[in-house]
Amino acid sequence: MSQKRDYYEVLGVPKDAPAGDIKKAYRKLALKYHPDQNPDDADAEASFKEAAEAYDVVGDAEKRPRYDQFGHQAFDQGAGAGAGGFTNVDDIFSAFGDIFGGSGGFGSMFGGGGGRRRGPQRGRDLRIVLDLTLEEIDEGVSKTVALKRMDGCGTCSGSGARKGTGKSRCSTCNGSGQVTRSAGFFQMASPCPSCRGAGEVIESPCQSCSGSGNVQDRTEVEIQVPAGVEEGVQLRITGEGDAGANGSPRGDLYCVIREKEHRVFQRSGPDVLTEVPFAFSQLALGDKIEIPTLRGKVEMTVPAGTQSGKVFRLRGQGLPRLDSRARGDQLVRVFCEVPKKITDRQRELLEEFQEIDRETSGRKSFFDRVTEYFK
């Protein structure tokens, strides 16, 4: 399988290019490789689609930061919001109507009458938020979510027409989907106001859906979440959005990942952090203890003389990395826990320890060191 080119390279712009320059660069490529300008040219059509896919990502204020951080990996199937997803040229015209002057025809850019009829209008994309625990992110999980969306009308089978009737050619545009008006030496083409660019009209609309072909319904969708996803990543579930008008293709469902707060661990990329309390005696004498991880307990050795605040690293005990089979680490910060209440015997031993420590350590007090500093 060929490697995808960098989207900025495809558009011929630097990575820090402003949005306006990116749009201009894409429009230039769209004009160069437009199917109406290059009929029956498979290479030109491939370049046209490649440019559209690149602009769909780096021309989008939400997708661009994820691409800058993760590259194409952020938009692989199941790993992020979709890049492009265009099945044909008409999808591109539909997505970037503002670039192509509304209906997508090459002629409409220059006022010519050679525009194409608008193809099927895919349904609206939907977006939901999915809350996950760190344990679910660690293992990957399948989630079933309930949502409201537009589904095909059962009465008219999604056609929008009353049973026994159908569609007819639009008399306003004669089926072209466009109307043209003259302005001096120029001709301006725009989508037909009667059929909205479809080229066809419904004479007798279905009463259940008012001619749209869709009605709102509740449904359940299963979402496969890969292990190691990070908060803010969007998963694209293709074809699970709203149904398109009059039987057109569905939109997509975008699932935004949100991490639930964990009572033990904090996340830092693929690493997890935790703090573990120790008694003074454990840090002074050293100890072996069991440390909780996302996948159970592991034994960790604390050397004698460990200072409070020391951070230990447990290799491979973090979260999976999306870009490899490796795992992050678990960082364990130890701190000295001072008891609020002690017995008379404990006090006696601590006072004895303090006295011996003063006699044998030779350490100056903190205040002595401060005094010497100012002298």
Side-chain angles (χ1 to χ4, degrees):
M1 181 179 294
S2 60
Q3 187 76 18
K4 279 188 177 182
R5 288 203 296 158
D6 179 82
Y7 285 150
Y8 293 102
E9 178 186 341
V10 170
L11 296 174
V13 296
K15 291 189 175 182
D16 59 352
D21 289 355
I22 292 175
K23 186 173 183 178
K24 289 178 183 177
Y26 170 57
R27 192 174 190 278
K28 183 178 179 181
L29 291 173
L31 288 169
K32 179 179 180 180
Y33 295 115
H34 197 289
D36 287 354
Q37 183 78 345
N38 303 274
D40 302 321
D41 188 334
D43 291 338
E45 182 174 343
S47 297
F48 185 71
K49 291 179 179 178
E50 183 185 40
E53 180 178 316
Y55 179 68
D56 180 62
V57 174
V58 300
D60 186 286
E62 293 184 4
K63 297 178 184 178
R64 186 178 180 181
R66 296 197 302 278
Y67 179 75
D68 290 343
Q69 185 175 4
F70 299 107
H72 294 298
Q73 179 69 34
F75 302 96
D76 285 348
Q77 183 65 30
F86 306 118
T87 57
N88 53 51
V89 171
D90 284 329
D91 282 348
I92 299 174
F93 296 147
S94 175
F96 305 128
D98 61 327
I99 299 288
F100 298 108
S103 63
F106 184 78
S108 66
M109 292 181 181
F110 305 99
R116 65 182 68 212
R117 190 174 72 186
R118 183 182 297 181
Q121 301 301 294
R122 65 191 296 269
R124 185 170 61 106
D125 293 336
L126 301 179
R127 180 174 278 103
I128 62 171
V129 175
L130 186 62
D131 292 317
L132 299 175
T133 65
L134 276 181
E135 286 82 3
E136 290 173 328
I137 293 174
D138 177 58
E139 297 179 359
V141 67
S142 175
K143 287 282 190 177
T144 300
V145 298
L147 54 88
K148 291 181 179 180
R149 70 180 183 188
M150 301 302 292
D151 283 326
C153 175
T155 303
C156 64
S157 300
S159 69
R162 183 178 298 176
K163 190 174 182 180
T165 65
K167 301 178 182 178
S168 60
R169 177 181 293 182
C170 176
S171 58
T172 303
C173 64
N174 199 30
S176 69
Q178 289 187 336
V179 291
T180 305
R181 61 184 179 86
S182 298
F185 293 102
F186 299 97
Q187 288 185 323
M188 305 295 293
S190 60
C192 174
S194 298
C195 64
R196 298 181 180 180
E200 298 176 320
V201 293
I202 298 174
E203 297 179 348
S204 183
C206 169
Q207 293 182 339
S208 298
C209 64
S210 301
S212 69
N214 296 326
V215 292
Q216 191 177 70
D217 197 9
R218 292 180 178 270
T219 189
E220 291 186 343
V221 176
E222 186 175 358
I223 300 174
Q224 298 293 334
V225 182
V229 294
E230 295 194 29
E231 176 154 347
V233 166
Q234 292 190 95
L235 307 179
R236 183 182 68 172
I237 300 86
T238 306
E240 293 292 353
D242 280 346
N246 308 126
S248 300
R250 285 188 177 278
D252 298 331
L253 173 64
Y254 290 95
C255 177
V256 183
I257 298 299
R258 185 168 61 188
E259 295 176 9
K260 293 182 180 179
E261 185 176 350
H262 201 282
R263 62 186 182 89
V264 175
F265 303 109
Q266 289 182 310
R267 179 177 185 176
S268 177
D271 296 334
V272 292
L273 301 90
T274 187
E275 291 187 331
V276 179
F278 283 79
F280 166 75
S281 58
Q282 288 178 291
L283 297 180
L285 301 175
D287 200 358
K288 287 186 178 180
I289 65 166
E290 287 187 331
I291 298 293
T293 72
L294 288 170
R295 291 171 297 283
K297 295 180 179 181
V298 298
E299 189 176 80
M300 186 180 81
T301 299
V302 179
T306 295
Q307 300 299 304
S308 182
K310 170 73 174 178
V311 177
F312 294 88
R313 183 179 295 271
L314 302 179
R315 301 285 182 184
Q317 294 297 330
L319 294 164
R321 298 178 183 271
L322 273 177
D323 55 353
S324 72
R325 295 183 179 181
R327 284 184 174 272
D329 302 327
Q330 179 167 327
L331 306 178
V332 182
R333 178 180 176 273
V334 303
F335 66 94
C336 184
E337 186 175 46
V338 180
K340 294 181 178 180
K341 294 182 179 181
I342 57 175
T343 66
D344 291 341
R345 177 57 176 159
Q346 287 174 322
R347 178 179 295 276
E348 180 183 343
L349 291 173
L350 286 172
E351 289 175 348
E352 182 180 350
F353 174 83
Q354 186 180 58
E355 186 64 30
I356 296 173
D357 186 55
R358 286 174 178 172
E359 294 175 356
T360 60
S361 65
R363 292 196 305 270
K364 296 181 179 179
S365 71
F366 171 76
F367 295 104
D368 290 338
R369 294 197 300 272
V370 170
T371 301
E372 287 185 358
Y373 173 81
F374 285 106
K375 286 181 180 180

